[in-house]
Amino acid sequence: MAVTGPEIERLIALLAKLPGLGPRSARRAVLQLIKKKETLLAPLAAAMADAAEKARICSTCGNVDTQDPCAICTDTVRDPNVLCIVEEVGDLWALERAGAHKGRYHVLGGVLSALDGVGPDDLNIGRLVERLSGGEISEIVLAMNATVDGQTTAHYITDRISGLGIAVSRLAHGVPVGGELDYLDDGTLAAAMKSRRPF
């Protein structure tokens, strides 16, 4: 039974579809938006309409921006010789937030997954091979998640570009900063031991 009008119920239902928000969290968010209609709801609606109109997918790397090519691809300060390959735009944003990469990026749009029916043609791998064949890039950094599908995708890409003479590296796996050994899973501990280095 609906407690509010259809417009508010529609807003709650749409917000509930966002990651991290269920129906209860969406209802609380909508109540807060309505309570602060002038300072939150109206500006949010305007910002969403603006983003819906101007948001673009970069034809070079796959990032989301309001220009094509995106701000990262057109940044002349970045190292054009190093390309970091990520699964999703969120991964690119996380690396940028950390200031961890000073080169360019390539977003695959997912990972290979036989169970989900995702093959190489479903990802942005063809465009990646085109970029790497241009000769400007000397190193790629595989920043895939440490999952079976992520590692399968990393191996596939490595095999696909093996004849191009490009150095391939990947993110380190192991004990996180501030991590306690007792709380880590067996796979993380094994990866950390295997990737140990001189102190």
Side-chain angles (χ1 to χ4, degrees):
M1 186 169 119
V3 179
T4 62
E7 297 85 1
I8 295 173
E9 287 299 326
R10 180 171 174 250
L11 180 57
I12 292 168
L14 287 170
L15 283 178
K17 292 180 180 182
L18 295 174
L21 287 180
R24 291 177 69 181
S25 297
R27 193 167 295 281
R28 282 194 297 270
V30 167
L31 279 173
Q32 191 64 23
L33 288 169
I34 292 170
K35 281 181 188 176
K36 299 187 177 186
K37 191 174 180 179
E38 299 304 317
T39 58
L40 276 179
L41 185 59
L44 177 63
M48 290 176 73
D50 200 29
E53 181 186 329
K54 295 178 181 175
R56 312 241 177 291
I57 302 295
C58 177
S59 58
T60 303
C61 73
N63 186 21
V64 175
D65 202 341
T66 55
Q67 63 185 43
D68 183 16
C70 71
I72 291 174
C73 287
T74 57
D75 185 351
T76 56
V77 177
R78 289 184 172 273
D79 184 352
N81 302 311
V82 182
L83 190 68
C84 182
I85 301 169
V86 296
E87 294 177 17
E88 299 288 354
V89 173
D91 302 327
L92 183 157
W93 289 358
L95 288 166
E96 280 300 290
R97 235 183 3 259
H101 180 63
K102 302 300 180 198
R104 304 261 166 85
Y105 292 92
H106 189 85
V107 180
L108 294 174
V111 289
L112 297 172
S113 175
L115 289 174
D116 296 326
V118 179
D121 294 337
D122 300 313
L123 303 176
N124 199 5
I125 293 177
R127 177 71 183 119
L128 171 64
V129 174
E130 282 177 35
R131 288 180 77 185
L132 297 176
S133 300
E136 182 179 36
I137 297 162
S138 59
E139 179 189 0
I140 63 167
V141 180
L142 296 169
M144 308 283 135
N145 290 324
T147 61
V148 172
D149 290 341
Q151 296 311 301
T152 300
T153 305
H155 287 293
Y156 177 83
I157 290 169
T158 304
D159 290 345
R160 192 78 196 266
I161 64 162
S162 62
L164 298 178
I166 295 172
V168 179
S169 59
R170 70 174 192 167
L171 296 182
H173 298 176
V175 179
V177 174
E180 295 181 30
L181 297 182
D182 191 35
Y183 293 102
L184 298 177
D185 64 276
D186 297 344
T188 300
L189 282 172
M193 187 58 79
K194 196 182 288 188
S195 303
R196 67 188 184 275
R197 59 184 186 199
F199 188 58

